[in-house]
Amino acid sequence: DAGITQSPRHKVTETGTPVTLRCHQTENHRYMYWYRQDPGHGLRLIHYSYGVKDTDKGEVSDGYSVSRSKTEDFLLTLESATSSQTSVYFCAISGSSGANVLTFGAGSRLTVL
Amino acid sequence: TQLLEQSPQFLSIQEGENLTVYCNSSSVFSSLQWYRQEPGEGPVLLVTVVTGGEVKKLKRLTFQFGDARKDSSLHITAAQTGDTGLYLCAGTNSGGYQKVTFGTGTKLQVIP
């Protein structure tokens, strides 16, 4: 969607290799999120950020780390990818307080062999 | 962990039929959103409800937030093939950072 881009869109990697997914926004929104989507589980929050250098864990954070050095960029890193991390990863942004509305990127499909 | 259970998980109906999707939780939410997701894309917001008992209409779609702000429903009247997709409810709890919890999703297929 306009204002939020994810890269890469598709990646195939091998078990044990590091992987970094990038989320870039041009909306100057404060909040950024990484979700993973798997059949039968819906969208599950991995990590989120509430400002530059301010991040916190979500419900499925094991095996993942994040960094946010600039407002516009939120990186998700798999230090040593495992097959259980094969998934579609979505980045989302939110700028308002109160009723929370998320704008999602188009997703990054990761396959770990 | 707050859970949002959606039912049914799958729904296949004929064009022109009506349907209702439910989103239930034991937790109270300050707001609840409904999203629709099409294959290969991210979810897109349909509506936000904030007040207990609130009803919002978006053309043929009617959204209701439960009085206790623990549940919600989405009713589609005279479904069209363009309504096909994955419907997700999502709740936000107040009091802290904006962590959004998503429901398990309802996959709707409308057959012409």
Side-chain angles (χ1 to χ4, degrees):
Chain A
D1 262 354
I4 178 170
T5 55
Q6 293 183 227
S7 60
R9 292 292 314 281
H10 301 273
K11 186 172 181 66
V12 180
T13 191
E14 295 189 348
T15 298
T17 60
V19 175
T20 294
L21 305 180
R22 179 181 183 238
C23 179
H24 179 77
Q25 60 143 332
T26 58
E27 305 297 319
N28 201 35
H29 281 351
R30 177 183 177 188
Y31 298 94
M32 299 186 75
Y33 309 79
W34 277 107
Y35 286 88
R36 60 178 288 174
Q37 187 173 38
D38 306 287
H41 291 279
L43 282 160
R44 292 181 291 174
L45 181 64
I46 304 171
H47 282 279
Y48 65 101
S49 170
Y50 44 95
V52 173
K53 297 193 189 317
D54 291 324
T55 64
D56 203 352
K57 296 179 180 179
E59 60 182 304
V60 289
S61 59
D62 288 347
Y64 302 94
S65 62
V66 290
S67 65
R68 192 168 176 200
S69 58
K70 298 184 291 185
T71 298
E72 56 265 36
D73 289 325
F74 192 32
L75 304 180
L76 177 70
T77 297
L78 291 65
E79 301 289 349
S80 178
T82 67
S83 58
S84 65
Q85 294 175 311
T86 292
S87 186
V88 181
Y89 292 86
F90 286 97
C91 176
I93 60 176
S94 172
S96 59
S97 59
N100 195 22
V101 172
L102 301 182
T103 301
F104 282 86
S108 296
R109 181 175 293 276
L110 175 66
T111 302
V112 184
L113 303 175
Chain B
T1 303
Q2 299 167 322
L3 293 176
L4 278 167
E5 299 286 341
Q6 284 186 240
S7 61
Q9 278 190 299
F10 302 97
L11 194 53
S12 182
I13 62 170
Q14 294 289 135
E15 198 169 24
E17 292 183 351
N18 302 332
L19 66 116
T20 302
V21 175
Y22 300 94
C23 174
N24 295 294
S25 175
S26 57
S27 302
V28 175
F29 293 100
S30 60
S31 68
L32 194 139
Q33 291 80 41
W34 285 92
Y35 293 81
R36 181 168 66 207
Q37 183 180 19
E38 300 192 15
E41 300 179 8
V44 176
L45 179 74
L46 294 174
V47 76
T48 295
V49 286
V50 178
T51 306
E54 183 176 1
V55 177
K56 279 192 174 179
K57 291 193 174 184
L58 185 65
K59 296 183 181 178
R60 294 174 295 101
L61 278 60
T62 301
F63 305 85
Q64 185 162 9
F65 201 12
D67 291 341
R69 306 208 315 275
K70 292 183 180 182
D71 55 84
S72 181
S73 63
L74 157 60
H75 182 79
I76 301 179
T77 303
Q80 299 177 356
T81 55
D83 296 327
T84 293
L86 178 67
Y87 289 81
L88 296 158
C89 64
T92 300
N93 201 353
S94 60
Y97 305 115
Q98 296 186 320
K99 286 171 67 171
V100 179
T101 302
F102 278 82
T104 47
T106 295
K107 195 167 185 178
L108 171 65
Q109 181 184 35
V110 182
I111 304 167

